Amino acid sequence: MSVFQIIAIAAACFCLCGLFLHFIHIVRLGKPNDLSEKSGDTTKGIVYANTTAMLPQNKESAYLHIPGYAAGMLFHIGTFLCLLIFLLALFPFFNRWIEGSTLRFIIAAALAVTSVCGYILLIRRAISKDLKGFSNPDDYISNALTSTFQLFTVFYLIWPGCSCATVLYYIACALLFIYMPFGKLRHVVYYFAARYHLGFFYGWRNVWPKHED
């Protein structure tokens, strides 16, 4: 195990501790307390909030920006795949598999696409007058770190025996993990709480799921 891998693992542990503290904070806030008279089904509302409500046609404006929505979805899928690869890379059998399998090139190609999606979204945020109006430095840093994390995962898969690619990969991992508990990337925890609260609120008031006339 190299020094840079140890640093990345330590950063991942720091990240998990930070995210766990956020989770404890959410739990301490307790369940939603709606004082209005219940007129709907909160369970159906919560399920809808985490499924159908995420489709572009059911969002406020996502249906007007399908390419951006699709790029964002691919970007998120790529991020979760890279996190899985980081976890598997802790085990020697996976590294041996990477070195001998041609499947790694297919995975690398897919992640190359998702990382490009991330950089496109970053550039779009930087040049769009509408997006710049409500963007802050955290938006740019979070996107850049995640996109670079995906890109260096591509290098790690293509050149598993290259020390330079391995060092860059673990540096990218460490930077992402250290920043995650402090920036918007911590929504990996708050997302589920937010969707739960939304589903509870609108389910309670019989707004979600949407009723077709």
Side-chain angles (χ1 to χ4, degrees), residues 44-71:
K44 289 183 179 179
I46 293 168
V47 171
Y48 178 78
N50 288 278
T51 54
T52 312
M54 297 300 294
L55 297 175
Q57 65 268 26
N58 292 326
K59 286 180 166 288
E60 184 177 0
S61 61
Y63 68 95
L64 299 174
H65 310 281
I66 295 299
Y69 177 87

Side-chain angles (χ1 to χ4, degrees), residues 12-30:
C13 293
F14 171 83
C15 177
L16 289 175
C17 290
L19 295 180
F20 181 72
L21 291 177
H22 287 298
F23 175 74
I24 293 299
H25 174 68
I26 293 172
V27 172
R28 286 181 175 176
L29 291 176

Side-chain angles (χ1 to χ4, degrees), residues 75 114-124 143-144 147-148 151:
F75 185 46
T114 63
S115 66
V116 169
C117 287
Y119 286 117
I120 289 175
L121 292 172
L122 178 62
I123 295 171
R124 178 168 170 256
N143 188 312
S147 300
T148 303
L151 180 61

Side-chain angles (χ1 to χ4, degrees), residues 162-181:
C162 176
S163 58
C164 181
T166 301
V167 168
L168 290 175
Y169 170 69
Y170 283 118
I171 289 176
C173 292
L175 291 175
L176 178 71
F177 292 143
I178 290 172
Y179 187 77
M180 189 178 292

Side-chain angles (χ1 to χ4, degrees), residues 131-162:
L131 292 176
K132 282 196 297 185
F134 55 81
S135 297
N136 57 55
D138 180 31
D139 292 311
Y140 298 100
I141 294 172
S142 297
N143 188 312
L145 286 175
T146 309
S147 300
T148 303
F149 169 56
Q150 294 187 23
L151 180 61
F152 286 160
T153 302
V154 173
F155 296 158
Y156 177 77
L157 291 173
I158 294 177
W159 298 292
C162 176

